[in-house]
Amino acid sequence: MVHVIVHNSVSADGGVEGFEPDIGLHYEIAGGFGADVHLAGSDTLLAAGMTADDEVVGGVEPPHDDPDDARPLLVVVDSRGRIDSWASLRQAPHWRDRMVALCSRATPAGYLDRLAERHIDHIVAGDRRVDLSEALTELERIYGATRVLVDSGGTLNGVLLRAGLVNEVSLLVHPCLVDGRQLTSMFRPDESAARGANGIALRLTTMQQRAGAVVWLRYDVVASTTGAAS
Ligand SMILES: NC(=O)c1ccc[n+]([C@@H]2O[C@H](COP(=O)([O-])OP(=O)(O)OC[C@H]3O[C@@H](n4cnc5c(N)ncnc54)[C@H](OP(=O)(O)O)[C@@H]3O)[C@@H](O)[C@H]2O)c1
């Protein structure tokens, strides 16, 4: 079974935006998890405002697979075919040259064609949205994934947590509060989540104060209402 870790920098009230996270510390801790897959939500990448493929020179060659490349594989959940910045992503130094889009049977065929033109692999799982359990199984089978770091906002975190697919939660708690009425938290409901039925029990495994009065909290997921992490 793939081991899944949700890692977020948060305000003291659990917000994932509306403050300046310590990005260096965020990725220092993230790198220590030894993940072979980074899983990102489409809204997270869209919020980063990356350059559109048409404006990037290069980046359309087939991926170069280096067996000694220890960088993680970037995997993006994108059933609606909204990511159009694959060339920029491939030029970033953080991930392997090969990348994967997770799609569903509702993903527009034209988008799958564009992915093929850009040499981006894709996995189809689920009818409307991506079936994340099936997708993780496929990532393990096809790419040998063992440890997945979820670098995303509260929506994708929430779907994964409620599906019982997350083993650990890692939070870098920053000394600030944000306005939770308009900004998003690290664990959000989606349209299918019943109100009040989505509690997740956690067991604290690490508590460290880091530079800048940031506190690192690491938890095992004990159980959710819909499944239990192992
Ligand atoms: N502070 C931090 O550590 C941190 C880290 C990352 C991001 N962020 C911030 O978080 C914000 C984005 O968070 P967000 O919550 O809006 O977006 P998000 O976490 O990126 O979640 C959106 C993703 O969830 C997928 N999804 C939604 N419902 C689903 C379902 N029922 N089944 C399967 N997949 C489902 C969507 O898939 P489809 O595309 O297929 O619809 C999409 O890929 C941004 O502001 C970003 O900067 C903060």
Side-chain angles (χ1 to χ4, degrees), residues 21 26 28-29 37 51 58 68 81 89 99 139 143 145 159 164 178 189 212:
H26 181 97
E28 178 195 323
I29 301 276
V37 166
T51 309
D68 295 326
L89 291 167
M99 296 185 169
L139 287 169
Y143 301 97
V159 173
V178 296

Side-chain angles (χ1 to χ4, degrees), residues 42 46 76-86 101-104 106-115 128-130:
S42 56
L46 290 170
V76 182
V77 183
D78 189 19
S79 68
R80 290 173 281 172
R82 297 185 301 156
I83 298 301
D84 185 30
S85 50
W86 293 104
L102 300 182
C103 301
S104 72
T107 304
Y111 183 64
L112 300 184
D113 293 342
R114 282 208 303 284
L115 290 175
R128 192 171 70 86
R129 303 309 266 276
V130 173

Side-chain angles (χ1 to χ4, degrees), residues 7-10 15-17 19 21 26 40-45 47 77-80 82 102 129-132 151-157 159 184 188 190-192:
H7 175 61
N8 274 135
S9 287
V10 296
V16 292
E17 53 183 349
F19 67 103
H26 181 97
S42 56
D43 289 290
T44 291
L45 290 183
V77 183
D78 189 19
S79 68
R80 290 173 281 172
R82 297 185 301 156
L102 300 182
R129 303 309 266 276
V130 173
D131 180 327
L132 293 159
D151 189 2
S152 209
T155 304
L156 185 58
N157 293 347
V159 173
T184 64
R188 296 182 74 187
D190 72 356
E191 67 265 32
S192 65

Side-chain angles (χ1 to χ4, degrees), residues 120-138:
I120 304 299
D121 294 2
H122 74 268
I123 292 171
V124 173
D127 290 327
R128 192 171 70 86
R129 303 309 266 276
V130 173
D131 180 327
L132 293 159
S133 175
E134 187 183 333
L136 288 172
T137 301
E138 286 297 276

Side-chain angles (χ1 to χ4, degrees), residues 4 21 62 64 116 129 140 155 166 173 177-178 181 207 209-210:
V4 178
H64 174 65
R129 303 309 266 276
E140 185 177 13
T155 304
V166 178
V173 182
L177 300 170
V178 296
R181 287 172 304 177
M207 180 172 58
Q209 182 170 338
R210 308 296 289 247

